[in-house]
């Protein structure tokens, strides 16, 4: 067994958690979107949610290709840095 297996597991679990909570946040925002856009029904708002899901899923294939080309560790580190920077607002 690798001595850093728990660190690797924590990194993988963190990534999966962030991906799952991302979809959760969008689904929780649906009632607010319905109140903000009163003339749009649930069918229109579901297009937003489905479009977000398809876009997120479609980004996984190119991300896998980039990870194969440049290395998983470098790609994950780069993505986390960019995500943190975007969250801060920079």
């Amino acid at each position: 067994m690798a001595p850093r297996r728990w660190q690797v597991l924590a990194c993988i679990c963190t990534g999966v958690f962030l991906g799952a909570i991302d979809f959760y946040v969008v689904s929780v925002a649906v009632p607010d979107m319905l109140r903000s856009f009163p003339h749009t029904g649930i069918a229109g708002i579901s297009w937003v949610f489905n479009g977000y899901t398809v876009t997120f899923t479609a980004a996984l294939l190119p991300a896998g290709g980039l990870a194969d080309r440049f290395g998983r560790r470098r790609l994950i580190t780069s993505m986390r840095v960019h995500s943190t920077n975007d969250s801060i607002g920079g």
Side-chain angles (χ1 to χ4, degrees):
M1 292 280 183
R4 295 177 40 158
R5 67 179 179 214
W6 296 112
Q7 292 173 341
V8 171
L9 180 64
C11 183
I12 291 170
C13 288
T14 302
V16 170
F17 172 75
L18 291 175
I21 200 166
D22 201 26
F23 289 112
Y24 177 73
V25 167
V26 173
S27 66
V28 167
V30 168
D32 287 335
M33 286 190 272
L34 285 170
R35 281 191 293 276
S36 296
F37 302 103
H39 301 294
T40 304
I42 190 72
I45 298 298
S46 69
W47 275 98
V48 173
F49 182 74
N50 290 335
Y52 181 80
T53 303
V54 168
T55 304
F56 184 85
T57 305
L60 291 177
L61 288 174
L66 289 172
D68 289 341
R69 179 176 290 167
F70 298 111
R72 289 181 296 266
R73 181 176 295 169
R74 185 183 299 175
L75 186 70
I76 288 173
T77 303
S78 173
M79 294 289 193
R80 285 190 177 169
V81 167
H82 289 299
S83 177
T84 302
N85 189 29
D86 291 344
S87 295
I88 293 172

